[in-house]
Amino acid sequence: MLKSFLSLFLQQNCPLCERITEQKICQDCLKQIHSQQFKNTAQFWSDELPLFVWGNYEGKLKQAIAALKYERHAELGEMMGQWIAQAWLKSLARKQLILIPIPIHAQKLKERGFNQAELIAKGFSQVTGYPIQPQALIRSKETKAMYSLKPKEREENLKNAFKIGKLNQSKTNVLLIDDIYTTGTTAKEAVKCLRSHHIPVIGIATLATTKQI
Ligand SMILES: [Zn+2]
């Protein structure tokens, strides 16, 4: 009796399909999201900026990221971070790392109410135990929407977009965290800023990418 009474309160609409569910995302959507997961999440862990990425930016995974960012379903962020972390522990677990979420500009933070990368980092931290330093990088420049820009313009747009904020343990390796990896321009600019302050960055972990295998 009490259980069914409580479950009434726990029920809500799935943010992706509107069906009633007791979870953050319904079973069916969750299954479709997981069908976008890469078999080898470390396939891009090489090059100048190694990328660890959970899945393909398509279908329900794309929709889930949009729900987090644009429909402000903040509750999805930590869960997404946990998915990445579980895959990370299976393939690339390290002893000691610091997580730094890619920051958004203060104006955007005010509009959205949260930084999605920080929520994802929080979920990642819960599973791995790595500490987060969300104040380490600051987005000092309000950048234009990237999708409308050509590659050269993207670089120009993001030049010096970051500056160093508060960072403890600056000798420990950093893993950057973000929601999506597209051209990598944002990530590279963030790395440039950290490295110019002699902070070692080993790579970036994201939930999804538009990169093709
Ligand atoms: Zn659903």
Side-chain angles (χ1 to χ4, degrees), residues 4 29 32 89 99 165 190:
S4 60
C29 288
Q32 290 183 58
L89 289 181
L99 305 175

Side-chain angles (χ1 to χ4, degrees), residues 89-212:
L89 289 181
K90 277 185 200 154
S91 70
L92 286 174
R94 307 254 168 151
K95 275 207 183 79
Q96 195 57 44
L97 288 177
I98 288 173
L99 305 175
I100 299 183
I102 297 282
I104 56 177
H105 191 265
Q107 184 57 39
K108 202 180 262 177
L109 185 64
K110 210 172 147 194
E111 287 161 18
R112 192 172 290 161
F114 58 85
N115 172 9
Q116 70 280 359
E118 192 175 332
L119 297 179
I120 292 171
K122 210 167 156 193
F124 197 103
S125 170
Q126 286 161 0
V127 174
T128 58
Y130 301 152
I132 317 172
Q133 299 216 9
Q135 313 298 330
L137 270 178
I138 294 166
R139 192 98 168 209
S140 50
K141 199 166 125 187
E142 170 89 273
T143 47
K144 291 183 217 149
M146 295 285 272
Y147 58 84
S148 61
L149 303 176
K150 296 195 182 80
K152 201 84 211 128
E153 293 172 323
R154 284 179 185 230
E155 271 175 41
E156 212 39 55
N157 186 29
L158 276 164
K159 218 169 227 169
N160 305 320
F162 298 99
K163 63 178 187 192
I164 289 290
K166 265 202 316 223
L167 180 73
N168 307 319
Q169 304 164 275
S170 63
K171 296 274 181 290
T172 312
N173 281 323
V174 165
L175 179 66
L176 288 167
I177 304 282
D178 208 356
D179 52 342
I180 317 169
Y181 184 97
T182 52
T183 62
T185 320
T186 311
K188 280 172 195 152
E189 201 58 38
V191 170
K192 207 170 89 187
C193 175
L194 289 164
R195 286 184 181 157
S196 72
H197 288 80
H198 310 288
I199 297 158
V201 183
I202 64 152
I204 180 164
T206 72
L207 183 63
T209 187
T210 50
K211 248 173 119 110
Q212 298 299 313

Side-chain angles (χ1 to χ4, degrees), residues 26-77:
C26 80
Q27 271 311 324
D28 188 47
C29 288
L30 215 47
K31 215 172 125 193
Q32 290 183 58
I33 288 173
H34 280 264
S35 74
Q36 298 295 344
Q37 186 179 359
F38 291 132
K39 283 200 176 67
N40 178 9
T41 39
Q43 63 196 325
F44 301 117
W45 193 259
S46 58
D47 303 329
E48 188 193 338
L49 179 62
L51 164 69
F52 184 84
V53 58
W54 190 84
N56 190 20
Y57 186 58
E58 279 293 333
K60 280 280 174 187
L61 181 56
K62 188 174 177 177
Q63 197 192 336
I65 293 172
L68 164 68
K69 280 161 81 170
Y70 307 116
E71 294 161 33
R72 296 179 193 173
H73 282 285
E75 77 280 6
L76 303 181

